[in-house]
Amino acid sequence: MNSYYKVEEWSIVEEQFDPSKQEASESIFSLGNGRMGQRANFEEDYSGDSLQGNYVAGVYYPDKTRVGWWKNGYPEFFAKVLNAPNWIGIGVEVNGIELDLYKLKVIAFRRELNMKHGVLERTFTVEIGKKQQLEVTAQRFLSIADDEIGAIRYSVKPLNFEAEVAFTPYLDGHIRNQDSNYDEFFWDLIDTRAEQGGASLVCETRKSAFRVAFSMKYDLFLGGRLVETEASVIGESGYAGNRVVCRMQVGEEAILYKYAAVVSSLNYEKDALLQAGKQSLERAYQTKYDALLSDHKQSWEEHWSHSDIVIGGDAKAQQAIRFNIFHLNQTYSGKDERLNIGPKGFTGEKYGGSTYWDTEAYLVPFYLSSAPSEVARNLLIYRYKHLDKAIENAQLLGFTGGAALFPMVTMDGRECHNEWEITFEEIHRNGAIAYAIFNYIRYTGDKEYLSEYGLEVLIAISRFWRQRVNWSDVKGKYVMLGVTGPNEYENNVNNNWYTNLLARWTLKYTLEALKYVEEEHPLRYVEIAGKTGFDTATETGRWKDIINNMYFPSCNEKGIFLQQDGYMDKEQYFASDIDPVQRPINQHWSWDRILRSPFIKQADVLQGIYFFEDDYDLETIRRNFDFYEPRTVHESSLSPCIHSILASKIGKKEMAYDMYLRTSRLDLDDYNKEVAEGLHITSMGGTWMSVVYGFGGMRVKNDRLHLDPSLPANWKSLSFKIIFRDNYLKIYINETAVVIENEHGPALTIMLRGEEQHLDENSTLTCHIQHPPS
């Protein structure tokens, strides 16, 4: 574990410059606003190791699939969010010497991500020439108040010498993705323009033909006065900027304000794109930096007002949860139903920036509770709009009759994952998408979603499950063969318990949804039946037979659900038995050895128990947890959060806390030594779940909010805010009391430790609690 960054409750602080950690810090200090994102690359030139990263939401390139052995049904491409042209660049020369922290002696360095206000600031002092010291302060933000705008304040001060300083604010389109399968350049340069005081660049992605326009303007102040010296205009193919030279006295400060607008053809017609960008830029330029920053801070205050979590007595835990919430809020705004959330968000290229089932399982809960319901609704609508493509995906694998298999990895609904054991076998993703519909309706009460969108998706997924199972004469049950569960350290197994569970549950839930829509919206029901070709008489009978006769592996001797057929045939030993120098095993063991081992990458059976915990008594949950957790190596970022929640439920407080720290500080402390590749954005939703669902004990049952809190021993208190239907609630918990404040909304009844508690409109309820023995 790496404790490199200073622990502060509202900030991430780096107090030294270490080139070996530069790429990791570029990930940690990343900024975003839901429309675009930027790694914490330096504005000035840097010749050390760096992963340049500027990303525009929804803009991707279909990188041709690269595999050793092509199989029928493979996708032809892997969709990748592109490293877009660089808008933050400000070249700086001092007395003819290029400002480059990798080449110069760094005397002092501090970088801070202010999470409360969404601002990145970096201050450093370098030695230029013979003991000549230059102080630089760079501050920037991506506006969430105006999500087409980024702004930079860059100041330079020679501390003990006179200097001639040249500033070159620029746009650079000569950018590549490090993860390109064939080392291709993904952009075509369409238009490059430069003029006094500004520049613009228009690029278009190859193959996918997304067009993006970048525009910039700047002001330079010297000693507090606007510099009106004529700049040298630089306009080359794909590179545009201005070069301004000024003479500076000892202690004099020069400040360059750079404004940039980034707009794409997702939101504007291509022939109007450049003009749209210039209009957005002019709006920002006229508003000026301080006012833009004020609006941005105010927007962040609004976000924090209904998503903040306050932990008393544990600064590391406090910093970590805010770090996770901060990145969740700046990655996805919910304004555009065409967008979703990639595992790395706007912080790196790994996983292509594409959508996985992580969204439905780990992110929907956060957005349900921390934002208006339409935000989570748009995540569901995103899948609905890909339904036709999901049906095509299933057809490619031989399924018929309107069956849908949603992709494991996607940008536009087409499958683009190219590992056979994932693409063809990790089909539990379909169940997560169905579960998200249920979870959304359970939380919001928005049953109308079924008739508008949800039922069509459920019918198509149920049709897939019907065809994916087969009857086994030997078992006298329906079985599901050749699958991969959430535990990706098992491939091509038969009867993964979790996948079978989700299949049966989806069929049951779809029958309930059909009944509801037929009774409450009969005209819409007829419309859906006609559109999908659904016939109750010929389809639901088979579904019911599968529901009643699905096979589930178990080990009666141990009283557990068996992860899959044959799991107990493995040599049984624990993760604690592995030599620590061989961890993580996926970096030290052959795949053959991993597949033959009993080790579990992430929650599998326990994921199913977490989803449907009301179906199991506490002792059943405990037996399965005690069996599977010791065999789990937690080498997926999505693993610790589920274990933390279940550990809280069964009274394992210390383990719950340890797992919380692991999930919440996964990136800050770089547990897996891979944060340089980008942050684990989707697991950050799991961090939130481990606090609110785990320690807060929050659930929704029968249209009521339930709380059953259990705090870690070293926490003095826990406070979190949630939006539940029409209510904005603040919940405060300490060792002796739970205080619930109804900040906005009508009166409601809450279940606290199984007892009804009535909360009036605009009122506060205090309940004294007794904790069960540990």
Side-chain angles (χ1 to χ4, degrees):
M1 188 177 73
N2 170 29
S3 298
Y4 176 66
Y5 304 105
K6 185 178 178 181
V7 175
E8 293 191 7
E9 293 188 351
W10 274 109
S11 295
I12 310 299
V13 178
E14 182 181 18
E15 294 187 308
Q16 58 183 302
F17 177 62
D18 183 347
S20 71
K21 297 187 184 299
Q22 173 61 10
E23 289 179 296
S25 291
E26 288 173 348
S27 298
I28 293 289
F29 292 89
S30 294
L31 293 176
N33 64 10
R35 185 69 63 187
M36 58 180 168
Q38 174 68 54
R39 284 172 61 85
N41 309 115
F42 295 160
E43 289 84 2
E44 72 277 359
D45 292 342
Y46 181 72
S47 57
D49 290 338
S50 174
L51 175 58
Q52 173 68 37
N54 170 40
Y55 309 101
V56 181
V59 175
Y60 67 91
Y61 176 81
D63 201 7
K64 185 178 178 182
T65 297
R66 188 167 196 156
V67 293
W69 177 20
W70 188 271
K71 299 175 180 65
N72 287 335
Y74 260 169
E76 296 181 358
F77 65 89
F78 191 98
K80 293 177 178 176
V81 170
L82 303 188
N83 183 4
N86 175 17
W87 65 268
I88 67 170
I90 303 173
V92 181
E93 291 181 14
V94 181
N95 292 338
I97 299 173
E98 181 183 49
L99 181 58
D100 181 341
L101 268 64
Y102 191 69
K103 296 178 180 178
L104 300 176
K105 181 180 179 181
V106 179
I107 298 170
F109 182 92
R110 188 178 193 274
R111 175 160 39 186
E112 178 180 359
L113 175 62
N114 182 319
M115 298 182 289
K116 189 171 187 177
H117 295 141
V119 175
L120 174 62
E121 184 165 296
R122 179 171 53 102
T123 302
F124 61 89
T125 303
V126 294
E127 196 169 274
I128 300 274
K130 297 180 179 179
K131 297 187 178 180
Q132 297 174 333
Q133 295 185 6
L134 183 78
E135 182 181 87
V136 177
T137 299
Q139 184 186 82
R140 73 173 182 244
F141 63 94
L142 292 179
S143 176
I144 60 172
D146 186 343
D147 61 14
E148 294 176 342
I149 300 301
I152 302 170
R153 181 189 187 276
Y154 195 94
S155 76
V156 170
K157 182 187 293 185
L159 298 179
N160 59 359
F161 68 106
E162 295 181 357
E164 181 179 87
V165 181
F167 295 93
T168 307
Y170 64 85
L171 302 171
D172 183 10
H174 298 288
I175 301 297
R176 289 182 179 272
N177 270 50
Q178 286 190 4
D179 68 348
S180 171
N181 285 343
Y182 296 91
D183 197 30
E184 293 178 276
F185 187 60
F186 293 161
W187 294 93
D188 283 325
L189 303 171
I190 303 299
D191 188 285
T192 304
R193 302 185 188 187
E195 58 189 14
Q196 282 289 325
S200 63
L201 187 67
V202 180
C203 301
E204 185 170 279
T205 60
R206 296 179 177 178
K207 297 182 182 178
S208 51
F210 292 104
R211 190 168 289 189
V212 184
F214 300 81
S215 305
M216 74 151 203
K217 294 185 77 169
Y218 67 93
D219 283 329
L220 177 62
F221 289 83
L222 180 61
R225 306 177 75 174
L226 181 66
V227 175
E228 297 182 350
T229 304
E230 186 169 308
S232 299
V233 176
I234 305 167
E236 304 168 1
S237 177
Y239 184 96
N242 282 193
R243 188 174 190 269
V244 186
V245 180
C246 57
R247 295 287 309 176
M248 300 182 66
Q249 303 301 311
V250 175
E252 193 172 24
E253 183 181 37
I255 304 175
L256 188 145
Y257 293 96
K258 182 177 181 180
Y259 307 91
V262 180
V263 296
S264 81
S265 56
L266 280 171
N267 302 303
Y268 298 95
E269 295 296 329
K270 287 185 179 181
D271 58 3
L273 196 59
L274 183 59
Q275 184 61 29
K278 288 185 174 181
Q279 289 176 352
S280 293
L281 176 63
E282 189 62 26
R283 181 176 67 246
Y285 182 74
Q286 294 299 327
T287 303
K288 298 304 182 187
Y289 187 89
D290 288 343
L292 288 170
L293 180 58
S294 178
D295 291 344
H296 172 70
K297 287 180 177 179
Q298 186 174 345
S299 294
W300 265 112
E301 288 175 7
E302 172 62 22
H303 273 295
W304 286 115
S305 72
H306 47 73
S307 64
D308 192 22
I309 290 177
V310 181
I311 297 170
D314 190 342
K316 289 189 72 172
Q318 177 66 82
Q319 180 191 46
I321 190 60
R322 283 193 173 131
F323 178 73
N324 284 253
I325 293 171
F326 171 77
H327 279 287
L328 289 169
N329 278 328
Q330 72 169 5
T331 300
Y332 181 73
S333 67
K335 297 176 183 177
D336 190 337
E337 63 196 26
R338 296 170 298 176
L339 303 180
N340 208 287
I341 306 144
K344 296 294 182 185
F346 295 126
T347 70
E349 299 174 8
K350 192 173 182 181
Y351 302 117
S354 299
T355 302
Y356 286 64
W357 68 282
D358 306 17
T359 293
E360 284 74 22
Y362 300 94
L363 293 173
V364 165
F366 169 77
Y367 294 108
L368 278 174
S369 293
S370 65
S373 61
E374 57 265 23
V375 172
R377 200 177 207 260
N378 278 344
L379 288 172
L380 272 60
I381 292 174
Y382 173 90
R383 294 292 193 181
Y384 171 80
K385 290 196 168 184
H386 289 173
L387 178 57
D388 288 343
K389 293 288 179 59
I391 292 172
E392 291 176 14
N393 291 336
Q395 289 171 346
L396 288 172
L397 302 186
F399 295 88
T400 60
L405 176 59
F406 282 88
M408 186 68 181
V409 178
T410 193
M411 287 296 296
D412 64 356
R414 290 177 289 178
E415 177 65 77
C416 59
H417 198 288
N418 52 31
E419 296 174 4
W420 67 269
E421 66 274 18
I422 306 300
T423 306
F424 303 151
E425 295 195 339
E426 200 163 341
I427 54 178
H428 65 82
R429 60 195 188 249
N430 252 11
I433 291 166
Y435 183 84
I437 296 171
F438 160 78
N439 199 23
Y440 166 80
I441 293 170
R442 174 176 61 177
Y443 192 91
T444 64
D446 179 15
K447 290 186 177 180
E448 304 311 301
Y449 184 81
L450 282 175
S451 60
E452 292 179 54
Y453 303 105
L455 183 57
E456 290 180 55
V457 173
L458 292 171
I459 288 171
I461 292 175
S462 291
R463 285 169 164 170
F464 172 83
W465 290 129
R466 181 189 68 77
Q467 295 177 52
R468 189 56 175 80
V469 301
N470 65 272
W471 179 259
S472 167
D473 288 334
V474 173
K475 289 183 169 60
K477 296 282 186 180
Y478 287 97
V479 297
M480 200 178 312
L481 310 178
V483 302
T484 296
N487 172 24
E488 293 171 339
Y489 289 174
E490 302 274 8
N491 301 146
N492 200 37
V493 302
N494 294 336
N495 295 308
N496 172 258
W497 183 85
Y498 171 74
T499 306
N500 285 15
L501 180 71
L502 276 178
R504 184 183 67 172
W505 174 85
T506 303
L507 292 169
K508 290 173 66 176
Y509 183 56
T510 305
L511 291 175
E512 294 172 11
L514 284 163
K515 184 174 185 293
Y516 170 80
V517 174
E518 184 177 21
E519 292 177 352
E520 300 297 326
H521 303 278
L523 294 180
R524 177 60 178 151
Y525 178 85
V526 172
E527 182 182 352
I528 292 171
K531 180 180 179 181
T532 62
F534 179 75
D535 182 3
T536 299
T538 59
E539 297 197 58
T540 59
R542 179 70 177 275
W543 295 2
K544 292 175 183 177
D545 193 39
I546 295 169
I547 292 167
N548 293 329
N549 294 285
M550 180 70 86
Y551 170 72
F552 292 96
S554 63
C555 178
N556 295 332
E557 178 185 346
K558 296 186 178 296
I560 61 167
F561 308 123
L562 211 53
Q563 184 175 269
Q564 75 263 350
D565 284 350
Y567 181 80
M568 294 306 296
D569 292 335
K570 295 171 177 282
E571 181 183 359
Q572 295 294 322
Y573 55 113
F574 299 148
S576 59
D577 296 324
I578 303 172
D579 185 339
V581 302
Q582 296 183 16
R583 300 287 299 271
I585 61 174
N586 62 21
Q587 296 179 21
H588 294 88
W589 288 13
S590 69
W591 199 245
D592 169 75
R593 186 179 179 188
I594 290 174
L595 291 175
R596 289 185 290 107
S597 80
F599 298 125
I600 300 167
K601 182 182 180 185
Q602 69 187 79
D604 196 306
V605 168
L606 297 183
Q607 181 77 39
I609 289 176
Y610 159 72
F611 272 168
F612 305 110
E613 64 176 18
D614 289 341
D615 293 343
Y616 311 106
D617 60 45
L618 206 60
E619 187 54 38
T620 298
I621 296 173
R622 184 177 289 111
R623 281 197 309 272
N624 281 275
F625 186 93
D626 289 346
F627 180 83
Y628 284 109
E629 196 286 324
R631 293 162 171 81
T632 303
V633 290
H634 302 292
E635 290 176 7
S636 164
S637 63
L638 302 173
S639 184
C641 63
I642 298 301
H643 288 83
S644 179
I645 295 167
L646 292 178
S648 289
K649 184 175 182 65
I650 61 177
K652 293 179 178 286
K653 284 189 175 185
E654 185 175 349
M655 179 179 286
Y657 177 72
D658 289 344
M659 289 292 177
Y660 162 74
L661 278 187
R662 180 162 182 163
T663 187
S664 66
R665 299 193 67 86
L666 178 70
D667 293 316
L668 285 174
D669 294 338
D670 202 5
Y671 272 85
N672 294 341
K673 308 301 179 188
E674 60 180 12
V675 74
E677 299 174 342
L679 305 180
H680 296 83
I681 299 298
T682 49
S683 77
M684 291 178 174
T687 298
W688 179 91
M689 287 159 49
S690 66
V691 174
V692 176
Y693 292 177
F695 305 129
M698 190 187 87
R699 304 288 191 275
V700 176
K701 304 176 184 180
N702 300 319
D703 293 320
R704 285 187 177 179
L705 195 67
H706 288 238
L707 296 170
D708 188 7
S710 177
L711 300 188
N714 60 324
W715 288 11
K716 295 179 180 178
S717 61
L718 168 65
S719 173
F720 57 90
K721 294 186 175 185
I722 59 167
I723 302 171
F724 177 63
R725 302 191 179 182
D726 296 325
N727 295 90
Y728 287 65
L729 304 174
K730 180 180 179 180
I731 298 164
Y732 173 86
I733 304 162
N734 62 24
E735 279 297 306
T736 61
V738 176
V739 181
I740 308 169
E741 182 180 353
N742 189 0
E743 295 183 328
H744 173 78
L748 77 161
T749 299
I750 291 176
M751 303 298 293
L752 178 60
R753 289 271 172 84
E755 296 184 3
E756 287 189 0
Q757 303 289 343
H758 186 74
L759 186 61
D760 290 327
E761 182 180 358
N762 299 320
S763 68
T764 300
L765 173 70
T766 300
C767 299
H768 295 282
I769 59 175
Q770 290 184 343
H771 290 272
S774 300

